[in-house]
């Protein structure tokens, strides 16, 4: 009986259009499908790195990834399972080395550099105006992101990174997915913190800040800048700035696609936020892969 009462109270605080049970099922399936693929991607990347060099080539990626995941967990930016998923993503990204290395460590790994930039920008944006967002019920949980959120935002980028050593298109897809995920989080967090006029992207009518599919000038500009910084940092993996421009355009298109999904299928209660984020990064990565 007590469990039923607690469940009812939780549902009373649920503000999404999608039923809570359906949202959990979608997020759960996303984790169950993507995590094994990430494990395979990490194993494949590791074996490829060893085949191209030696076992010692795994030392930096493994040590750095474990340390980075531990830091993220200690900062309470992610739960322990989410930090474990982040470790896989970081490991795969760290194993992608540009053909003509610039320096060593992080500096020879543009995908890893882009991932770190994403973390710094989203960490700052999440904490920007936190008290105001908490007062309005829009702040992220203090326990940090869940595993499904990490998979939704970074899973596509990691799988593209695992294939990144084979063509510029795959690396471009990785970077576009990272840039789109950054733009989405930064635009949402900054827009909610600053408030101001917010419009529903499909109907161009005023809505409350934090509404699915709602966009604001401050949030959108912040997101575009965030995407640009990620692409700039990761551009060492390209032979020309034209490729970087294509990736940046794909990331911005993914940000728009995310808002459109939020205003339609998410608002209709068909899909949850995790699936929307996953599809948006997939869309951005697909555009970059096709153009490159």
């Amino acid at each position: 009986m007590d469990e039923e009462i607690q469940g009812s109270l939780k549902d009373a605080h649920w503000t999404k259009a999608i039923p809570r049970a359906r949202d959990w099922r979608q997020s759960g399936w996303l984790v169950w499908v993507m995590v094994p693929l990430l494990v395979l991607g990490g194993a494949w990347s590791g074996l490829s790195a060893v085949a191209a060099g030696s076992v010692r080539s795994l030392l930096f990626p493994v040590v750095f990834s474990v340390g980075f995941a531990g830091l993220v967990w200690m900062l309470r930016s992610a739960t322990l399972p989410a930090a474990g998923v982040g470790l896989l993503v970081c490991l795969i990204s760290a194993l992608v080395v540009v053909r003509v290395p610039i320096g060593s460590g992080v500096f020879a790994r543009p995908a890893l550099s882009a991932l770190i930039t994403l973390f710094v920008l989203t960490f700052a944006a999440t904490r920007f105006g936190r008290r105001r967002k908490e007062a309005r019920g829009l702040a992220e949980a203090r326990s940090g992101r869940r595993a499904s959120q990490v998979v939704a935002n970074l899973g596509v980028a990691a799988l593209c990174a695992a294939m990144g050593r084979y063509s510029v298109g795959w690396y471009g897809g990785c970077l576009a997915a990272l840039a789109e995920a950054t733009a989405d989080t930064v635009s949402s967090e900054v827009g909610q913190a600053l408030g101001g006029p917010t419009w529903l992207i499909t109907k161009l009518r005023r809505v409350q800040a934090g509404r699915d599919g709602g966009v604001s000038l401050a949030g959108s500009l912040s997101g575009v800048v965030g995407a640009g910084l990620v692409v700039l940092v990761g551009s060492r993996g390209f032979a020309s700035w034209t490729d970087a421009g294509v990736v940046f355009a794909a990331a911005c298109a993914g940000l728009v696609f995310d808002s459109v999904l939020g205003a339609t299928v998410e608002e209709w209660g068909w899909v949850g936020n995790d699936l929307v984020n996953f599809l948006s990064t997939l869309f951005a990565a697909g555009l970059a892969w096709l153009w490159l």
Side-chain angles (χ1 to χ4, degrees), residues 215-291:
V215 296
S216 66
L217 180 60
S220 297
L221 288 178
S222 300
V224 169
V225 171
L229 290 173
V230 170
V231 173
L232 179 64
V233 170
S235 62
R236 294 193 311 279
F238 298 121
S240 71
W241 284 105
T242 302
D243 294 340
V246 167
V247 170
F248 176 68
C252 291
L255 179 62
V256 175
F257 184 68
D258 181 278
S259 297
V260 171
L261 289 181
T264 54
V265 291
E266 186 176 6
E267 184 66 18
W268 300 336
W270 293 1
V271 300
N273 187 250
D274 286 339
L275 192 55
V276 165
N277 289 341
F278 177 80
L279 292 174
S280 299
T281 57
L282 183 63
F283 179 79
L287 283 181
W289 184 82
L290 288 172
W291 287 351

Side-chain angles (χ1 to χ4, degrees), residues 121 124-126 128-129 132-133 136 183-196 209 216-223:
L121 292 176
T126 300
F128 177 69
R132 183 176 183 181
K133 287 183 284 189
R136 299 167 65 187
D184 178 36
T185 300
V186 171
S187 62
S188 177
E189 295 291 344
V190 172
Q192 291 172 6
L194 295 180
S216 66
L217 180 60
S220 297
L221 288 178
S222 300

Side-chain angles (χ1 to χ4, degrees), residues 43 48 62 132 195 199 216:
S48 299
V62 171
R132 183 176 183 181
W199 292 270
S216 66

Side-chain angles (χ1 to χ4, degrees), residues 52 69 156:
V156 170

